Every structure is written in structure tokens, then in C-alpha cells.
Amino acid sequence: MSSENEYIEKELLIRGIEINYLFVCKTKLWYFAKGITMEHESDIVDLGKFLHEKCYFGEEKEVLIGTINIDFIKKKDIVEIHEVKKSKTMEKAHEMQALYYIYYLKRYGIKARAILNYPKLREIKEIILDGREKEVEEAIKEVEKIKSMPNPPKPKKSKICKKCAYYELCWI
């Protein structure tokens, strides 16, 4: 018989970026989960890193908690998780990643909310879990299913494919 903490630790081995990729591209998620990482060659990823580094001075950046890596945290009445994003093109993926972080922290007794920061747009969006736990749990199950597949899911052509770091693996 396993304890609740063992269950939590087992369940929460998924990284936030994997939740994000679930809503961007399941093929990309599979490649990433298998250790095939192409982001180091992406100008778009480099721009995102640059924005993250230059836009939020004085913040503790890249906060690693277990398997999650949060862009930065502010400690207020509750913990405020901040994720820096370049554009809203993949807003659902950003939102689900933030929800996963809140869910993750809640499982350890930490109350949190998330803020999506879009510095180029000069916009922010607040994210709260507020009854969306089932949605996060379904995403976790879907990520686990994809990660356990022996082969990548068949890619689906999308307008974002040509800018994706994994384009050549899928389409050439």
C-alpha cells in the first residue's frame, strides 16, 4: 500500500513544459519527453530567453521546485508564480502550464496563483486554479499516455510548424 506522498511524487513527475507541449503539439511533446531536444537551435526560444532575462530585473529567476521550473516568483499574500511569454499565440498552452504549477504547489499545501507576463504586448493575465483541478488531471493523464507511446504521434500540420524547432523531424 502506498502513501499519499508517494502518489503525489509519482503523479507529479511531469514537467510544466510537457503540459505546455501537450497543447502545442503532441509530437513535439513525445520527442521532448524522449530527450530529443531541438530548442537550443531555435531563434524563437532564444528571443523568449532574452525577454525573460531583460524584462524582470531583481526577480529571482528560474525557480526550480521538484520537476517544475517557474520563471520567477513573488511572495505576497499567496505565492505568485510568474511565467514570461513572447506572444499569446499559444495562450491555452501557457494557461495550462500555469494551472499545472498552481496544482502542483497546492498538492504540497502551498496556495498560489499565476501571472502570465507578455512583455512585448505589455499585458498580463492572472490564472487561478478555482475548480479546474479535473482539467489539469486530464492533461497529466494525456501527457503520461503520450510519453509511454513507443513511437511519436503522427504530426498534424499547423501554422506554427514552420517556426518549430522540431520541424525537420516531422516534415523533412
Side-chain angles (χ1 to χ4, degrees):
M1 186 168 138
S2 64
S3 72
E4 184 177 336
N5 281 345
E6 287 174 10
Y7 173 73
I8 289 171
E9 289 170 12
K10 178 184 179 286
E11 179 181 332
L12 299 178
L13 290 177
I14 291 171
R15 295 177 279 180
I17 194 68
E18 292 172 327
I19 295 290
N20 183 301
Y21 286 175
L22 175 66
F23 293 91
V24 172
C25 174
K26 293 175 181 174
T27 308
K28 181 176 185 172
L29 165 61
W30 188 90
Y31 282 128
F32 181 84
K34 299 301 182 192
I36 302 167
T37 57
M38 307 294 286
E39 286 84 357
H40 61 279
E41 297 177 16
S42 170
D43 292 339
I44 293 170
V45 172
D46 287 344
L47 175 59
K49 286 179 183 178
F50 176 78
L51 282 172
H52 176 253
E53 290 169 7
K54 300 300 178 200
C55 291
Y56 297 94
F57 302 106
E59 304 298 343
E60 184 179 349
K61 296 186 176 111
E62 299 297 323
V63 180
L64 185 62
I65 303 169
T67 60
I68 63 174
N69 190 356
I70 300 166
D71 287 346
F72 69 92
I73 291 178
K74 288 186 178 180
K75 296 166 190 97
K76 296 186 174 189
D77 54 331
I78 66 171
V79 173
E80 199 174 83
I81 299 164
H82 286 259
E83 279 295 302
V84 180
K85 304 298 182 184
K86 184 177 74 68
S87 76
K88 288 185 168 183
T89 305
M90 294 172 261
E91 191 170 16
K92 176 68 174 178
H94 303 158
E95 184 176 319
M96 289 305 299
Q97 180 180 3
L99 284 170
Y100 177 68
Y101 290 161
I102 299 167
Y103 176 89
Y104 187 104
L105 293 175
K106 181 181 178 184
R107 297 299 297 260
Y108 288 101
I110 300 168
K111 187 173 181 180
R113 70 173 170 235
I115 305 293
L116 297 176
N117 298 273
Y118 298 99
K120 283 182 70 181
L121 304 173
R122 297 181 184 202
E123 291 182 29
I124 63 168
K125 180 178 182 179
E126 182 177 359
I127 307 293
I128 55 174
L129 192 55
D130 203 23
R132 296 180 70 185
E133 289 87 355
K134 272 283 188 238
E135 189 177 355
V136 175
E137 290 164 0
E138 289 301 316
I140 291 168
K141 287 177 190 169
E142 184 70 14
V143 167
E144 289 173 341
K145 179 180 149 198
I146 291 167
K147 288 172 66 171
S148 71
M149 294 170 68
N151 297 306
K154 184 176 170 124
K156 295 180 180 174
K157 218 34 150 177
S158 162
K159 63 183 179 184
I160 63 170
C161 288
K162 288 198 184 221
K163 294 181 181 181
C164 178
Y166 294 81
Y167 179 81
E168 291 182 17
L169 285 174
C170 295
W171 303 111
I172 294 180

